[in-house]
Amino acid sequence: MAAGIKAILLDVDGTLTNDAKDITPRTRDALLKCQEKGVVLVLASGRTANGLSRYAAELQMERHGGVLVCFNGAKSLNCETGQVYFEQSMTVEQGKRVLEHMKKFNVAPVVDHGEYMYVNNCFFTITRPDGSTWYILEYEAHSNNYKLCEKHDLAKYVDWRINKILNAGQPEYLQEVWQDMAAPFEGELSAMFTAPHYFEFTPLGVDKVRALQDTFAVLGITPDQVISFGDAQNDLTMIKWAKIGVAMGNAAPEVREQADYVTGSNNEDGIADALEHLVPELLA
């Protein structure tokens, strides 16, 4: 195996995709070449498996045994076989309590199940910095290949174990109230920002690396055979865990500081540039 690298870990939004949410042709071609050399691609994201399927298909990951790490690490599975390597979820009771508590705040909770994304108001909007109106739930459903289904009282409706509860809201408002949103679940669930307009709850201890450890134990891959790419705080653990941790040029300052290498931004083929510089044998 060239340079000893057997797996490439990729955050998606802000890393694999540009600001238009597309994989650029040069980055796609570089990753296809790596897979032809036997490297396993892993998409590790806060997105659901549905939300990652478009990119997995574009990268032909089914042909090469690629892996999806979803919900920021609450679940991992094989693209080709559907085998689940790792899964961690809230209890039904925990999910109901979070959804009940969210009624106190001006946020839109989102829960996925099957082919649907369940919300309590399909027309919830936030205001962009330029003053335009953003139908954020419609966007979230469309970008993750879900249908939207409105249920007035999600806390009463949900009767299944949940991997993640996403809450959409105005960024300035979320900054004011996130501590009050999270306080009742301290020590019981993890709560974090995944974007300025998204604050989410996951089972306690969920982390991309936790899922990767179980996944790679099955695949026979060790951290010193891995290169990882990311841009946000929830990528920090896999940036530090891999043999080579690469921060995108658009990454948060703390990610850039702790990375082994800083590449170009997600709009500048940063992944392709880093692979050419760090592991050129994979692209030969």
Side-chain angles (χ1 to χ4, degrees):
M1 182 62 62
I5 296 299
K6 292 187 176 181
I8 299 174
L9 309 182
L10 300 157
D11 171 57
V12 175
D13 298 290
T15 300
L16 175 63
T17 62
N18 60 18
D19 289 350
K21 303 300 181 185
D22 295 320
I23 305 173
T24 60
R26 183 169 162 238
T27 291
R28 181 184 63 246
D29 291 346
L31 293 171
L32 289 172
K33 285 182 180 179
C34 290
Q35 289 180 103
E36 294 295 340
K37 294 288 180 71
V39 173
V40 175
L41 287 193
V42 180
L43 303 188
S45 171
R47 288 174 177 249
T48 66
N50 268 20
L52 295 176
S53 60
R54 163 193 166 190
Y55 303 116
E58 190 173 348
L59 294 170
Q60 301 176 28
M61 289 172 60
E62 280 191 15
R63 287 182 50 211
H64 302 282
V67 174
L68 304 181
V69 175
C70 318
F71 307 112
N72 279 321
K75 185 176 184 178
S76 68
L77 66 152
N78 183 291
C79 283
E80 181 180 6
T81 65
Q83 177 186 354
V84 175
Y85 297 118
F86 176 84
E87 185 166 19
Q88 187 175 352
S89 56
M90 304 178 200
T91 65
V92 174
E93 185 269 341
Q94 286 174 324
K96 286 180 175 292
R97 282 173 48 221
V98 171
L99 293 167
E100 189 66 36
H101 183 56
M102 292 305 102
K103 294 176 183 178
K104 301 176 183 178
F105 305 95
N106 184 27
V107 298
V110 179
V111 178
D112 70 278
H113 190 56
E115 62 181 330
Y116 288 97
M117 188 168 278
Y118 292 94
V119 299
N120 55 20
N121 178 6
C122 290
F123 300 102
F124 183 88
T125 63
I126 65 174
T127 303
R128 292 189 176 101
D130 64 3
S132 62
T133 297
W134 183 15
Y135 287 86
I136 191 169
L137 301 184
E138 181 182 24
Y139 162 82
E140 185 68 16
H142 177 74
S143 63
N144 286 285
N145 300 314
Y146 282 103
K147 300 173 184 177
L148 267 181
C149 183
E150 188 173 279
K151 297 291 180 182
H152 177 69
D153 193 334
L154 287 176
K156 289 184 178 179
Y157 180 75
V158 167
D159 62 355
W160 61 87
R161 295 177 67 96
I162 298 171
N163 294 112
K164 178 179 82 169
I165 296 175
L166 179 69
N167 295 281
Q170 195 68 33
E172 299 83 0
Y173 175 75
L174 289 178
Q175 284 295 333
E176 293 174 4
V177 302
W178 72 265
Q179 290 176 306
D180 292 332
M181 291 170 65
F185 310 100
E186 185 175 358
E188 182 182 358
L189 296 172
S190 294
M192 73 207 81
F193 280 94
T194 51
H197 46 273
Y198 289 145
F199 188 78
E200 67 182 47
F201 292 85
T202 59
L204 189 65
V206 159
D207 178 88
K208 291 180 180 181
V209 166
R210 174 70 182 86
L212 290 164
Q213 288 171 330
D214 280 38
T215 301
F216 284 167
V218 176
L219 299 178
I221 297 173
T222 57
D224 62 351
Q225 297 170 317
V226 177
I227 182 170
S228 64
F229 292 83
D231 72 302
Q233 291 179 342
N234 62 337
D235 300 320
L236 262 177
T237 54
M238 72 178 193
I239 291 286
K240 294 191 288 185
W241 180 73
K243 177 182 180 180
I244 306 173
V246 181
M248 305 303 290
N250 52 291
E254 56 267 42
V255 179
R256 294 166 60 95
E257 289 169 7
Q258 299 200 45
D260 300 302
Y261 183 79
V262 178
T263 188
S265 77
N266 63 318
N267 292 316
E268 301 168 326
D269 286 307
I271 290 172
D273 280 345
L275 292 172
E276 288 178 1
H277 178 76
L278 298 168
V279 284
E281 301 90 343
L282 291 177
L283 304 181

